[in-house]
Amino acid sequence: FDRGLDYARAIWLIKKPVVAAIHGWCVGGGLEMACASDVRIASSDAKFLAREIRWGWHGGSGQTQLLTHAVGPGNASLFLLHGEPVDAPTSLRMGLIQEMVTREEVLPRAIEIAESIAAKAPIAAQMTKHMIRMAQSMPLEVSLLYENDSFAYCMTTEDAAEGQRSFAEKRPPVFKGR
């Protein structure tokens, strides 16, 4: 953690995929940290709120930017300018959360997804996360070229060779992050 960066930016900069488990209220800084995560799983009773506009400012730490990337400008405008709670079903429709489960299932489901990602080739997972971020900030023609370079790099790794061998041998791969 770099003290020069804020808490949500620190989450955003983690190279490994981050899965957020959300239940109850997700307000202000909690919303900012959720938006900085890659995958968000919420309980059906979760409520999301960005109420800073009521006091004369807007959220910082990526709230206006990351939320807009997650839900689009129209939904972000409603969320941030209206300043009223948004329930889990609406958040799911907006794209803020990827799955909605019961309160009892939220942490186990988030862990299940995180473990599934962790079982994949580490270099490929990190590069995929990076490419998703690039898709949000680069023109399509440029990001397609960048994707080809990233793909070529991934194919030079020991993990890619192991993936090909395991596929041919019809067995689970054993990745080493090399």
Side-chain angles (χ1 to χ4, degrees):
F1 181 76
D2 181 341
R3 289 179 187 262
L5 300 173
D6 61 58
Y7 53 90
R9 182 94 170 129
I11 293 169
W12 178 257
L13 293 174
I14 294 172
K15 289 184 180 182
K16 297 179 187 220
V18 176
V19 179
I22 305 159
H23 65 86
W25 284 92
C26 187
V27 179
L31 177 61
E32 292 157 1
M33 290 188 292
C35 286
S37 300
D38 300 295
V39 177
R40 292 168 292 279
I41 308 302
S43 62
S44 55
D45 66 343
K47 292 195 185 335
F48 300 84
L49 181 61
R51 191 168 265 183
E52 290 84 351
I53 197 162
R54 289 178 171 238
W55 297 292
W57 62 87
H58 61 73
S61 300
Q63 188 181 93
T64 63
Q65 301 306 298
L66 296 175
L67 183 66
T68 301
H69 276 279
V71 303
N75 287 327
S77 294
L78 179 63
F79 211 113
L80 297 167
L81 294 170
H82 189 44
E84 294 298 325
V86 177
D87 63 16
T90 303
S91 295
L92 181 63
R93 281 192 305 277
M94 285 181 168
L96 177 58
I97 60 175
Q98 284 64 60
E99 289 185 21
M100 182 178 64
V101 296
T102 67
R103 186 178 188 93
E104 297 75 33
E105 295 171 319
V106 70
L107 187 56
R109 179 63 178 143
I111 291 170
E112 177 185 357
I113 291 169
E115 287 174 342
S116 172
I117 294 168
K120 308 298 188 285
I123 294 168
Q126 289 179 24
M127 292 302 291
T128 299
K129 174 178 177 165
H130 181 66
M131 293 311 305
I132 292 166
R133 298 281 170 83
M134 293 299 98
Q136 293 178 307
S137 61
M138 296 172 76
L140 180 60
E141 289 300 319
V142 176
S143 61
L144 287 170
L145 294 170
Y146 191 60
E147 178 186 61
N148 283 339
D149 291 343
S150 178
F151 172 79
Y153 169 73
C154 285
M155 292 306 290
T156 68
T157 66
E158 289 179 30
D159 282 348
E162 166 60 11
Q164 292 171 27
R165 277 191 306 274
S166 69
F167 178 78
E169 296 169 6
K170 298 182 183 351
R171 62 169 174 82
V174 179
F175 297 120
K176 298 182 179 171
R178 298 187 284 225

